[in-house]
Amino acid sequence: EAGVAQSPRYKIIEKRQSVAFWCNPISGHATLYWYQQILGQGPKLLIQFQNNGVVDDSQLPKDRFSAERLKGVDSTLKIQPAKLEDSAVYLCASSFFTTTDTQYFGPGTRLTVL
Amino acid sequence: DQQVKQNSPSLSVQEGRISILNCDYTNSMFDYFLWYKKYPAEGPTFLISISSIKDKNEDGRFTVFLNKSAKHLSLHIVPSQPGDSAVYFCAARLGGATNKLIFGTGTLLAVQP
């Protein structure tokens, strides 16, 4: 079974530029999560999708971050414009459903904002 | 407001000995607790979990203990192996319709051969 795929693996941009990350969850997984992990901290949930609907985006900075999950499969997370404090690893995870199912994580995208 | 805390940033143990990783939480509404293991340049991988109605769960070399009155859980690895060297994250799940996880800051375990 293929795992969660993410691209790119690394990205370096300057502040005020925009950037987009892509995630392909495990086949058949209805729920998709985007996490932000700042150095020295644990992952923090940014947004959770159930199929193509948003379940929780309470910690997503909506003035600069946006995410979509078209057709309930792949997802993209965008930052526009980026700030220095957005430097982090962005992790995508998926689970079969929502309740007791294990979340499986992708390798992450390491973003550096200069 | 850090609801899940791992107060030890790092831990070093000898191969074959026991590793004990600790985690404290503040929210009584958590219904499940999980441990994830993370190698460099990889995403976290699920290791073991425990329901809030249990006090112990065991899977091979890994055992998780939950003390609800103290709001404390621990992960025991016996015997420790060099391949166990990784960052271990404690996570807690909020009950309800979502599967929202709150993660601790992680503990770097180094198992010395």
Side-chain angles (χ1 to χ4, degrees):
Chain A
E1 178 183 78
V4 177
Q6 289 188 247
S7 68
R9 293 297 310 275
Y10 304 91
K11 190 74 177 179
I12 300 174
I13 62 172
E14 301 206 340
K15 60 183 179 183
R16 290 188 290 272
Q17 286 187 323
S18 62
V19 64
F21 312 126
W22 173 83
C23 172
N24 188 305
I26 293 173
S27 178
H29 280 194
T31 309
L32 185 146
Y33 314 79
W34 281 103
Y35 287 86
Q36 178 192 58
Q37 185 181 7
I38 293 173
L39 185 65
Q41 299 181 20
K44 182 184 82 172
L45 180 69
L46 292 176
I47 188 167
Q48 177 182 344
F49 292 95
Q50 176 72 15
N51 295 309
N52 59 353
V54 175
V55 174
D56 184 348
D57 63 356
S58 57
Q59 297 194 89
L60 186 74
K62 298 180 185 65
D63 58 334
R64 298 183 300 106
F65 285 66
S66 64
E68 61 182 8
R69 191 182 184 197
L70 299 177
K71 301 180 182 178
V73 182
D74 293 8
S75 177
T76 56
L77 176 70
K78 297 179 182 178
I79 308 175
Q80 182 179 8
K83 293 185 175 181
L84 296 177
E85 59 262 35
D86 298 332
S87 294
V89 175
Y90 290 85
L91 293 160
C92 179
S94 69
S95 64
F96 183 69
F97 198 58
T98 58
T99 52
T100 60
D101 297 311
T102 300
Q103 295 185 28
Y104 295 88
F105 284 81
T109 296
R110 180 176 295 278
L111 173 67
T112 302
V113 182
L114 303 176
Chain B
D1 176 24
Q2 202 168 347
Q3 300 184 65
V4 179
K5 299 178 184 178
Q6 294 178 256
N7 293 317
S8 298
S10 63
L11 175 68
S12 181
V13 300
Q14 288 294 122
E15 180 178 4
R17 306 295 291 268
I18 184 171
S19 297
I20 300 176
L21 296 95
N22 295 302
C23 178
D24 297 296
Y25 63 95
T26 57
N27 192 335
S28 300
M29 299 304 293
F30 291 137
D31 67 349
Y32 241 86
F33 300 91
L34 306 91
W35 286 93
Y36 277 80
K37 176 179 178 179
K38 185 181 183 304
Y39 292 118
E42 295 183 12
T45 55
F46 171 74
L47 188 58
I48 191 170
S49 65
I50 186 168
S51 166
S52 61
I53 63 173
K54 305 275 189 183
D55 55 18
K56 178 182 176 181
N57 188 26
E58 193 171 354
D59 184 2
R61 296 186 297 114
F62 303 91
T63 303
V64 57
F65 296 93
L66 176 62
N67 182 333
K68 285 188 69 177
S69 61
K71 292 190 172 67
H72 177 84
L73 66 155
S74 60
L75 174 68
H76 292 211
I77 307 174
V78 183
S80 300
Q81 300 173 354
D84 297 329
S85 298
V87 176
Y88 289 79
F89 288 100
C90 170
R93 193 185 76 178
L94 282 169
T98 70
N99 198 9
K100 184 171 185 174
L101 296 181
I102 309 296
F103 283 84
T105 53
T107 296
L108 174 61
L109 173 66
V111 180
Q112 309 296 335

